[in-house]
Amino acid sequence: MLLHQRAAEQLATQRGQDDERARLARRQAEQLAADERDSPWLDLSMDAQGRLWLAGAYGVLLRSSDGQQWEAWSSHLGNIDRHLYAVKVWEEQVVIVGEQGLLLRSVDDGENFQALDLPYEGSMFTLQLGVDGMVLAGLRGNGFRSADGAHSFTPLAVPTPVSLTASLRLPDQSILLADQAGGLYRLAGGELSRLGTAPVGNPSALVLAADGGLVVSGSQGAVRVAGFSIESVTP
């Protein structure tokens, strides 16, 4: 991938050929150039500065200030080859979740990332950050929340072992979660409640329409959930 080759050259010029991150960027560029696997993009987020963060398969992360010019950012993660399923930004934190229990967090605006331990080794597919901490969820109905900077995690009381694949922070700061079968849940104050079922298999994204209705994107395309309104699920 040309972007990773360019990033490797820039790091070698700035930090020297023998710098650890420059060497890692060079190896990543070589691996990507030789890789014939499909490499889909899996999540896109915008930070408070208007920069875009684009995460994908096999540890690929890009950053852009305008959506036109992109920087390869994978070397900032370390030697990661797992899929990056979700990336979110809150103040100076950049958090990424992914394959096989991957949880990466930066507290310096994405310059350096640290791998954190989760109490579950399965993949995490969706993530939300906010003033109340982080919520992440994924394979087989496993979900967790942390209010102390990821030092400890409390499991979500998900009633069925169905993978959680999408989430959305609502205007009242509660969180809407969707499972692989279309089941919808609201997480508020640590309490999880069932809301109903969306007519979409394998939901990948949740969006509120201008009138407060819910649109779910999944394997059947984008569908509006009949009867759903933001007023009906929030105080």
Side-chain angles (χ1 to χ4, degrees):
M1 185 181 288
L2 181 59
L3 287 175
H4 283 76
Q5 293 172 351
R6 188 180 305 149
E9 292 168 359
Q10 290 175 345
L11 282 170
T13 299
Q14 295 167 0
R15 303 170 68 128
Q17 294 283 349
D18 294 330
D19 175 78
E20 182 178 353
R21 182 171 290 174
R23 293 200 309 269
L24 175 59
R26 187 164 55 247
R27 288 199 303 271
Q28 290 173 335
E30 292 170 352
Q31 289 168 356
L32 286 168
D35 200 343
E36 297 181 355
R37 298 173 295 185
D38 290 335
S39 300
W41 299 113
L42 299 170
D43 196 28
L44 174 68
S45 291
M46 179 183 290
D47 64 25
Q49 290 76 42
R51 295 174 304 191
L52 297 170
W53 297 81
L54 181 61
Y58 306 111
V60 175
L61 181 68
L62 304 183
R63 193 177 80 168
S64 174
S65 60
D66 59 7
Q68 301 295 320
Q69 303 294 324
W70 292 86
E71 298 175 86
W73 214 256
S74 303
S75 64
H76 292 253
L77 305 179
N79 191 18
I80 299 294
D81 189 44
R82 284 178 269 176
H83 298 340
L84 310 179
Y85 288 120
V87 54
K88 291 291 182 288
V89 185
W90 174 258
E91 297 180 338
E92 293 187 349
Q93 288 190 79
V94 183
V95 181
I96 297 171
V97 295
E99 192 177 17
Q100 298 174 2
L102 181 67
L103 173 60
L104 302 170
R105 184 182 63 160
S106 168
V107 295
D108 58 3
D109 210 24
E111 285 300 315
N112 300 280
F113 284 82
Q114 179 185 7
L116 304 177
D117 291 329
L118 273 176
Y120 176 66
E121 295 183 353
S123 297
M124 293 286 109
F125 300 129
T126 190
L127 166 71
Q128 293 294 327
L129 301 180
V131 67
D132 54 350
M134 69 174 67
V135 172
L136 54 159
L139 196 66
R140 297 175 181 172
N142 285 278
F144 304 91
R145 59 187 180 91
S146 176
D148 59 4
H151 293 292
S152 64
F153 293 91
T154 301
L156 303 184
V158 182
T160 56
V162 180
S163 296
L164 296 159
T165 55
S167 63
L168 173 68
R169 187 172 286 275
L170 298 174
D172 69 346
Q173 298 305 303
S174 65
I175 293 172
L176 189 64
L177 292 159
D179 67 27
Q180 196 170 24
L184 296 173
Y185 304 85
R186 176 174 175 254
L187 178 67
E191 297 296 323
L192 191 71
S193 56
R194 178 69 184 258
L195 298 180
T197 304
V200 175
N202 238 355
S204 58
L206 308 175
V207 179
L208 284 183
D211 62 0
L214 178 67
V215 177
V216 181
S217 176
S219 56
Q220 285 84 41
V223 177
R224 187 182 179 95
V225 179
F228 182 98
S229 68
I230 191 64
E231 292 82 4
S232 68
V233 298
T234 60

